[in-house]
Amino acid sequence: MRISLKARLNELNLLLSTSQRMSESFDLDQALPAVLGKIRDLTGAESVRLVLQSGAYKAGQGGRGWESLDAGIQTLARARGEFVLENPSRAGAVLDLAGVVDRLESLIAIPVSHEDEFLGALWLGYRSPRSFAPSEIKLLSIV
């Protein structure tokens, strides 16, 4: 029960710090790296990327070539909404993996939109296989 409570407090802390960062500065270049870093810390992702029409922001190094997935993930998120790939190496039919050099074992992507306008995608990459609980997906959608 303590572990569950601690996890819940960490999630609430992420939401609070995200809203504080965004209210402190409307400059995305200043606010987003800290927000993405908090998401990385909470989820244990190797890389957290926010891909917008105007550019990309990231936290974590991720693997070599992972950034080559940005356009494909953005396209999939626009067409399908949120999605999880628990074994991206088998996703060649929906995602071009030619530029990926380092191992990518799982990823989750969430569309970013305002009202009905698609703005981009938030995606998290992991070097090890990972399943995602519905509560994790909901938290990322809220952020």
Side-chain angles (χ1 to χ4, degrees):
M1 182 161 153
R2 273 189 182 162
I3 294 171
S4 176
L5 183 57
K6 179 157 177 34
R8 200 70 181 132
L9 287 173
N10 287 339
E11 291 172 359
L12 291 172
N13 185 36
L14 171 66
L15 294 174
L16 177 62
S17 65
T18 298
S19 59
Q20 286 174 332
R21 278 285 181 186
M22 296 311 287
S23 67
E24 288 172 4
S25 172
F26 288 112
D27 180 6
L28 295 180
D29 293 330
Q30 185 179 4
L32 284 176
V35 170
L36 298 177
K38 290 270 190 192
I39 293 170
R40 188 193 71 224
D41 293 345
L42 182 66
T43 62
E46 263 71 50
S47 178
V48 177
R49 296 186 61 83
L50 177 62
V51 185
L52 303 173
Q53 305 297 338
S54 59
Y57 300 88
K58 71 174 187 167
Q61 292 302 311
R64 289 176 298 158
W66 287 12
E67 69 281 352
S68 68
L69 299 174
D70 286 351
I73 288 173
Q74 195 171 25
T75 300
L76 277 174
R78 178 190 301 257
R80 297 184 180 188
E82 67 189 41
F83 65 91
V84 172
L85 297 177
E86 292 181 0
N87 189 349
S89 62
R90 294 185 184 166
V94 295
L95 199 57
D96 182 8
L97 301 170
V100 176
V101 177
D102 289 344
R103 185 178 82 215
L104 174 64
E105 292 293 327
S106 55
L107 74 84
I108 181 171
I110 307 289
V112 176
S113 58
H114 176 67
E115 296 177 358
D116 290 334
E117 182 183 2
F118 178 80
L119 301 174
L122 170 70
W123 72 274
L124 289 67
Y126 298 83
R127 293 181 196 271
S128 57
R130 190 172 189 300
S131 297
F132 299 92
S135 60
E136 292 176 291
I137 296 170
K138 184 176 180 177
L139 175 66
L140 291 171
S141 297
I142 292 170
V143 171

